[in-house]
Every structure is written in C-alpha cells, then in structure tokens.
Amino acid sequence: MNIKHIFVVGAGTMGNGIAQVAATSGYQVTCMDVMPEALEKAKAMIDKSTGKLVEKGALTKEQKSRADAIQFVSSMDTIKDADLVIEAATENPELKFKIFKEIDAAARPDVMLASNTSSISITKIAAHTHRADKVIGMHFMNPVPLMKLVEVIKGLATSEETLQTTLELCRVMGKEAVEANDSPGFISNRILCPMINEAIFALQENVGTPEAIDRVMKLGMNHPMGPLALADLIGLDVVLFIMEVLQRDLGEDKYRPAPLLRKMVDAGYLGKKAGRGFYRY
Ligand code: NAD
C-alpha cells in the first residue's frame, strides 16, 4: 500500500474526525468543504480534540502537530496530489453521485475512493465513476477519534485489492474493520435505526417517558447510552432518512418511521445539533 496523502471531502462531524485520525496516524491530510464556516469549525474541533487527547496521554505532541498541519481547502484543485479520497459529505444520494463524478474526473485514475455513507448503496455510488472496482464504503462511527469500528462495504464491482488495501488502512488508523455486504443500512444501521425507531414508537404510545426508556436500555441491557439520547446525538433527520431508505429499499412496512420522529424533524427538533430533540441541550 503506497498511500501517503489522504484527501477528505466534507469537514462536518464525520469529515473532521476522519481527517484528525488520518493525520495522527501519520498521513498527510487535506480536508475540503464548500462551506467556509465548516472549515473553520473543523479546525477548532480538531485542535480541541487533539489537545484533550494529549492531556489524557492518548496522543503524543508529535501526533498533535501532525493534526495541526492538516490543510483546509474549499476546492478540489489539489485532489490530484492525493493517494486516497474519503468522502464524508452530506447524506443525500444526488449530492453524493455528483461529488463522486467530480472526484472521479479530478483524482488520479489509480486512486481508491471511499465513502462514509450511512445508508446509500456503494454499488450505485460506484456506478457514477469510471473506476467502480476502486470504490468502497468506509463507514466510520461517531465520534471518529474514540470509536473503534469501521464497517467496510464492498460494492458489486469493488475489487479484492481495494478491499485488502482498505482493511490495511483501517489497521494503520488503529481501527477494527468489519466487512458488510452492500445492503440498505449495511449491518450497523439495519439493526440500530429500527431499535431507535421502536423506542420512538414506545414514547409516542406513552409506554414510558424518554428518561424511563433510556434508563431501561442502559441499566437493563447494558447499553452505554439510551436509544433516544443516541438519536439526539446522531441527528433525528439522519435517523429519519435512514428509516426511509430501509422502508423503501427493503420494501417492508416494519421499517415505517415513527410519526413522532417525522413530526420532530418537521418542527426542527433535530437533536443535539439543534439544541433540542428528545432532550434539551
Ligand atoms: P455534517 O452535516 O456534519 O457534514 C457534512 C458536510 O459536508 C458539511 O460541512 C457540508 O458543508 C459538506 N458538503 C456538502 N456538500 C459538499 C460538497 N459538494 N463538497 C464538499 N463538502 C460538502 O454531516 P456528517 O454527520 O458529518 O455526515 C457525513 C457523512 O457521514 C454522511 O454520509 C453520513 O451519513 C455519514 N455518517 C454520519 C454519522 C453521524 O453520526 N453523524 C455516523 C456515520 C456516518
């Protein structure tokens, strides 16, 4: 594997975490976003996160200085210098297809392209490029610097070489890779989001308060956080989007989004990022 320079597209919650972990793992990193505020915020988040990790002894000062050297850019002009591209832009199929067309036209033809999508088909994303064999899903978890798992998803045309390089890359980044096939929601969100949706149905039907529902799952099932608090962390719009993908693409009504989830998204109660979801922040 001869990857030295990683180009991350999207500097939001996931993009800045991926950029940070790639840099502290020894890669040269460029992080790109179309929104100048997102780049500013990403820079501040990475500085704060790496500062805390140095204090805790989880990162060395040298690793922090590598993260400080991340380049933040607002265009794909330098993508031709990259040896790998990881896309972590907004979860919207049409936008991702457009971004992959752009990346495919600008990046060197030998370069692998990974997507951090939570639910969009890797096979479909790959079909918007001329290098479907080099396209793969690298589904990092939130918050990226702390979570061990990367779900690795092969599309129909993804080559064995691309898969093996990705597994090695996860190892170098200190992550545990688990392979999943390209199916709606992959493994993680096929199981997690219906559980969260069921917790929302239980709340809607007054089976318990949000606090009671979350405490039962924490104290009784040993989950580190309750499903409603987790929904607030992920973003209720993201949970709704994934449930819609599961219902549409698997064709089963058991994935019907809870009406309360839809109502909260309509009201703008999107969770932590909006200051209000099932809880107030
Ligand atoms: P986010 O909204 O925090 O960040 C998305 C960023 O993409 C924004 O800063 C936006 O400006 C940028 N963007 C939009 N169009 C762009 C373009 N054309 N070029 C470059 N940047 C562009 O979203 P997020 O939560 O970081 O999610 C990013 C991806 O990661 C999504 O595919 C999502 O499904 C996935 N994901 C999210 C989580 C989570 O818990 N939030 C977990 C795993 C995976």
Side-chain angles (χ1 to χ4, degrees):
M1 182 171 70
N2 200 12
I3 293 173
K4 292 195 173 73
H5 181 180
I6 299 181
F7 194 99
V8 180
V9 177
T13 313
M14 298 304 289
N16 75 58
I18 295 167
Q20 173 179 325
V21 172
T24 57
S25 305
Y27 295 102
Q28 178 194 342
V29 176
T30 303
C31 185
M32 180 259 169
D33 203 292
V34 286
M35 302 285 284
E37 314 86 80
L39 292 170
E40 284 302 314
K41 199 170 162 195
K43 208 171 174 180
M45 293 279 293
I46 292 172
D47 185 48
K48 191 172 161 195
S49 166
T50 51
K52 266 195 204 160
L53 291 170
V54 169
E55 267 174 33
K56 278 198 210 159
L59 278 187
T60 62
K61 284 192 175 148
E62 198 207 329
Q63 283 175 306
K64 175 164 172 46
S65 67
R66 287 199 203 125
D68 294 340
I70 295 172
Q71 291 204 305
F72 293 92
V73 298
S74 54
S75 78
M76 289 196 193
D77 288 353
T78 53
I79 205 168
K80 59 183 184 316
D81 302 329
D83 308 310
L84 169 76
V85 179
I86 304 179
E87 172 275 327
T90 313
E91 186 79 346
N92 172 313
E94 294 312 318
L95 175 70
K96 294 229 195 254
F97 300 156
K98 180 175 152 281
I99 290 175
F100 269 80
K101 272 190 186 162
E102 270 174 53
I103 298 173
D104 187 44
R108 289 198 322 266
D110 59 308
V111 162
M112 270 173 40
L113 314 180
S115 174
N116 186 52
T117 179
S118 306
S119 60
I120 300 167
S121 159
I122 299 300
T123 304
K124 264 193 210 164
I125 291 177
H128 288 79
T129 73
H130 294 98
R131 58 179 98 186
D133 59 316
K134 295 191 174 61
V135 177
I136 195 157
M138 274 185 98
H139 185 207
F140 289 85
M141 303 291 129
N142 181 13
V144 182
L146 304 183
M147 300 295 282
K148 271 274 169 213
L149 175 69
V150 179
E151 199 177 17
V152 173
I153 304 108
K154 260 178 86 171
L156 194 63
T158 310
S159 71
E160 184 60 24
E161 190 187 349
T162 299
L163 172 68
Q164 291 307 326
T165 307
T166 306
L167 297 178
E168 171 65 5
L169 187 74
C170 292
R171 199 191 56 72
V172 175
M173 289 172 88
K175 302 295 181 196
E176 299 266 351
V178 178
E179 287 177 53
N181 285 318
D182 191 15
S183 172
F186 317 130
I187 296 174
S188 52
N189 286 318
R190 170 79 174 262
I191 298 172
L192 175 67
C193 286
M195 186 199 68
I196 290 174
N197 195 46
E198 199 57 35
I200 303 171
F201 269 114
L203 176 66
Q204 175 186 304
E205 290 164 21
N206 201 22
V207 182
T209 61
E211 290 79 7
I213 291 169
D214 279 352
R215 286 189 77 210
V216 165
M217 297 307 284
K218 278 170 71 177
L219 302 178
M221 318 302 157
N222 234 0
H223 289 197
M225 95 196 277
L228 299 175
L230 182 56
D232 278 358
L233 180 73
I234 296 172
L236 301 198
D237 51 339
V238 178
V239 176
L240 175 60
F241 181 84
I242 295 170
M243 289 311 298
E244 286 173 341
V245 168
L246 294 179
Q247 186 187 25
R248 188 190 62 228
D249 294 353
L250 294 167
E252 294 209 43
D253 277 348
K254 69 175 180 178
Y255 300 111
R256 178 172 70 100
L260 176 62
L261 172 61
R262 217 176 264 291
K263 207 183 253 180
M264 291 188 64
V265 171
D266 287 344
Y269 301 161
L270 303 183
K272 219 168 179 179
K273 63 186 169 189
R276 180 168 180 180
F278 294 107
Y279 299 94
R280 302 258 187 167
Y281 299 90

